[in-house]
Every structure is written in structure tokens, then in C-alpha cells.
Amino acid sequence: MRGAGGAAWAASPFQPRALRASVRCRAGSGLQRRGRLWNRVLSALRAPGAREFQDCGVGLNAAQFKQLLISAVKDLFGEVDAALPLDILTYEEKTLSAILRICSSGLVKLWSSLTLLGSYKGKKCAFRVIQVSPFLLALSGNSRELVLD
Amino acid sequence: MVRFKHRYLLCELVSDDPRCRLSLDDRVLSSLVRDTIARVHGTFGAAACSIGFAVRYLNAYTGIVLLRCRKEFYQLVWSALPFITYLENKGHRYPCFFNTLHVGGTIRTCQKFLIQYNRRQLLILLQNCTDEGEREAIQKSVTRSCLLEEEEESGEEAAEAIE
């Protein structure tokens, strides 16, 4: 899938190589097609600052990030939906961006609770969801130009 | 054609302590169910279920409760009922649980089910009772309920014959 614009791709301002990790949610619908987990990638955050704070200098490690996500879902949808199997596939502390995976029935719930999450420990913050896809491979490439990172 | 449809959940409160049922109050029960839904289904669940929510019938002696909720969200209410583990009244906590007997679209269907259920319960009670006085009392109520049943049936047949 590597096209002629491979070098140009690396230098492209829109897909910086350094920021590979993006918040992607991969969704899998449960047991609908012959028992296979049907994955649907939810979203990939490609731009820096998948999660943005109003003032800088806030550090979160992966565990705290997951705790934040679960508490957001729990606030809005309760304990039952906070127990959905949510995975953080990658996490970058510098840019606060991550790739998430969730089953497709939980996509709407996760996305809406991310949207409505306003603050963390008293500081205002916002989640930006960049890309959603059922395939993890799709998150690492640009399907319009058919180029992989 | 254009109306709000409801679902009526007929539940039975089961507990070891006999004081638990007597301390049932519709406000206490309503707040208990709403808090449980808020805990289990979050803000969304609490808001969705509390619009058409009401406690329609409450019997403190048998522990039968009839809850009403909107048709679109009755499953949220139904799934939150097993998470109720205790009833709190005036500082006393009584462990209990809710058994859902019937889900109906109208109060009338729930009432029909309740009548049949009570008849069956009377027969079970008759088998299990030990005291002679109790046995006579239960036998009297059983015969009375059978007579009422026959009257209902004959009334229905007469109505059909007229038609």
C-alpha cells in the first residue's frame, strides 16, 4: 500500500510520524456472524493532544487514563455499562493520546460519555475523537491516498 | 393511536423479616427504585426511567407491588430490580429482594394474573400450614375464591349467550 508519495508522506504536516499513537476505538460486535468478534474501530486521534487540557502540565499515566474513561461511562450510563470490556491498546503520555478498543454495541455509549466528560480533578478538559474504524490497520494509514504510515 | 404506552411490572417483595413488608411505603419504595436505577444505569437511566415512573399498587401484607414505567425503557427498570438488596426505614435495614411475577401492558392484565397467582398461592399455603385454625380459614378462602371463579365464568357464558 506504499505509494509514490512515501517520502512526502513522512514529511506531511498532517500525519506526523512521531504521533503514531492515536485514540482509536476498535469495536467488535458480539457473536453476530458465526461467533467471530466483529471489530469496528471507533476512532483514531491523529492530531496531537487527543485529550486537551486548558492549562498544560497535567500528567496522566495509562492507569489513570483508563480510570478516567471508566468513571466517565459510569457517570452517564451506570455500573452496568462501566463494566464493558474497554481496552487501551496504546497510550502516549506526552500527547495524552491513546488507541481504544470497544465492542460495537458499546461504541455509542463510550463516544457520548467521552463527549460529555468535562473535567478531571477540577481541571477542564476535552476529548477529541479523530478516527473510527473496524480495522486497526486502517488507523495507521490514509485510506484515500492508500498509504500506510 | 398516539398515546404514551406503559409497562406494568408486578413484583413481590420477599424477605425473611416480617417487619420489612409492613414498613413498605410508596414514597420509600419509589425513592429506592429511582436510586437503584441511577446507580445501575447512570444519569441516562435515571432520567429515562423517571418520566413515567409510578408505584401504582402496594400491598403491605402480601408484599405485592405494581410499578409503572414507559414502554421504551421498561427493560432498564426491570434489570435494575435485582440490584435492590435492602429496604431502609427509620434507620433499620431489612435485607430483601424483588421477585418479578408479571409484566403487562395494562393494569387489568396484571390484576387478572394476580388473581390467578393468589389462588395458586392459597393452595400452596393450604398444603404447608400446620395449625388447624389456619387450615380452616384457608379452606374457607379457597372455597370462596372457587365460587367467585365459577360466577365469573357463568357471567361470561351468559354474556356470550346473549350476544
Side-chain angles (χ1 to χ4, degrees), chain B residues 13 15-26 28 58-64 87 89-90 94 96:
Chain B
L13 180 68
S15 93
D16 287 330
D17 202 342
R19 291 172 293 171
C20 176
R21 278 193 224 154
L22 294 174
S23 68
L24 258 189
D25 185 23
D26 61 341
V28 162
L58 184 60
N59 190 336
Y61 298 109
T62 55
I64 300 280
L87 198 74
N89 185 30
K90 291 175 204 159
Y94 305 109
C96 64

Side-chain angles (χ1 to χ4, degrees), chain B residues 10 27 29 46-47 71-73 82 102 104 109 125 139 143:
Chain B
L10 189 69
R27 261 169 293 157
L29 186 70
K71 182 178 153 189
E72 291 88 18
F73 302 111
H102 187 248
T109 55
L125 274 179
Q139 271 174 343
T143 40

Side-chain angles (χ1 to χ4, degrees), chain B residues 4 7 12 19 25 35 37-38 54 112:
Chain B
F4 285 119
R7 286 286 176 262
E12 185 187 0
R19 291 172 293 171
D25 185 23
D35 289 340
I37 294 176
K112 275 193 212 166

Side-chain angles (χ1 to χ4, degrees), chain A residues 74-81, chain B residues 39-45 83:
Chain A
K74 190 172 182 171
D75 271 337
L76 191 56
F77 289 106
E79 290 178 359
V80 168
D81 290 314
Chain B
R39 182 168 52 102
V40 173
H41 292 295
T43 326
F44 171 76
F83 289 87

Side-chain angles (χ1 to χ4, degrees), chain A residues 5-118:
Chain A
W9 174 260
S12 153
F14 298 110
Q15 330 284 343
R17 280 190 88 96
L19 297 153
R20 171 73 57 101
S22 22
V23 177
R24 311 183 212 168
C25 302
R26 193 174 111 198
S29 75
L31 307 170
Q32 275 168 14
R33 308 206 187 186
R34 281 182 261 152
R36 197 168 125 216
L37 254 191
W38 209 234
N39 295 323
R40 200 185 292 168
V41 176
L42 283 181
S43 56
L45 287 168
R46 288 220 165 215
R51 202 154 142 270
E52 290 176 5
F53 280 98
Q54 220 175 32
D55 37 69
C56 310
V58 184
L60 276 177
N61 63 17
Q64 288 172 328
F65 189 72
K66 184 159 189 184
Q67 158 68 22
L68 177 66
L69 292 177
I70 292 182
S71 65
V73 182
K74 190 172 182 171
D75 271 337
L76 191 56
F77 289 106
E79 290 178 359
V80 168
D81 290 314
L84 282 173
L86 164 70
D87 302 317
I88 299 185
L89 299 178
T90 55
Y91 178 68
E92 265 192 17
E93 198 165 329
K94 271 178 277 175
T95 53
L96 293 174
S97 59
I99 300 180
L100 308 176
R101 176 176 68 183
I102 196 158
C103 69
S104 62
S105 52
L107 166 61
V108 172
K109 295 185 179 159
L110 178 64
W111 202 340
S112 53
S113 46
L114 286 180
T115 308
L116 291 175
L117 181 67

Side-chain angles (χ1 to χ4, degrees), chain B residues 115-116 118-124 126 137-155:
Chain B
I115 292 173
Q116 285 175 354
N118 285 340
R119 278 201 198 110
R120 271 181 269 147
Q121 290 297 96
L122 274 178
L123 293 173
I124 293 171
L126 189 61
I138 295 178
Q139 271 174 343
K140 253 194 263 177
S141 7
V142 169
T143 40
R144 256 190 307 162
S145 69
C146 291
L147 283 173
L148 278 171
E149 196 181 345
E150 283 180 20
E151 271 178 28
E152 276 173 27
E153 282 175 17
S154 63

